[in-house]
């Protein structure tokens, strides 16, 4: 009698929650630097554009201002580092 009541009050968990176990962690440094776009690639900003700009040519500063996109090799690595992106 007691055993039947124990079974009936047991919590039922969804199968979708069990299927996604264990959760994967995203790489924190990659999260801060890369953003996923709709095509499946990733985009990032160029470094060295924020300070000490007096000695840099205007063309160089313009190029540093543009968005950089991931290559196919980088995209494969980034998909592992950011599994939910």
């Amino acid at each position: 009698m007691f055993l039947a009541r124990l079974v009936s009050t047991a919590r039922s968990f969804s199968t979708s929650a069990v299927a996604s176990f264990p959760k994967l962690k995203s790489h924190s440094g990659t999260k801060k630097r890369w953003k996923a776009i709709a095509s499946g690639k990733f985009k990032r900003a160029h470094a060295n554009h924020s300070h000490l700009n007096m000695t840099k040519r205007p063309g160089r500063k313009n190029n540093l201002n543009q968005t950089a996109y991931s290559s196919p090799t980088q995209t494969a690595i980034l998909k592992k580092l950011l599994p939910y992106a």
Side-chain angles (χ1 to χ4, degrees):
M1 178 84 174
F2 176 75
L3 185 61
R5 190 172 55 186
L6 181 67
V7 172
S8 65
T9 61
R11 295 170 63 187
S12 63
F13 295 99
S14 66
T15 57
S16 62
V18 175
S20 64
F21 181 81
K23 293 181 187 176
L24 299 174
K25 289 193 175 184
S26 298
H27 190 267
S28 296
T30 308
K31 271 194 296 194
K32 296 169 189 174
R33 291 168 173 85
W34 295 89
K35 301 292 179 203
I37 57 177
S39 66
K41 292 184 178 182
F42 293 83
K43 68 177 184 176
R44 67 170 172 86
H46 282 283
N48 303 318
H49 185 65
S50 60
H51 66 289
L52 300 176
N53 289 323
M54 290 288 291
T55 59
K56 296 174 187 163
R57 303 181 331 268
R60 179 180 171 194
K61 288 189 280 189
N62 289 341
N63 288 335
L64 290 174
N65 194 33
Q66 294 175 354
T67 305
Y69 296 95
S70 61
S71 67
T73 306
Q74 286 175 323
T75 302
I77 296 168
L78 289 168
K79 285 185 179 185
K80 292 179 183 177
L81 292 173
L82 298 174
Y84 303 107

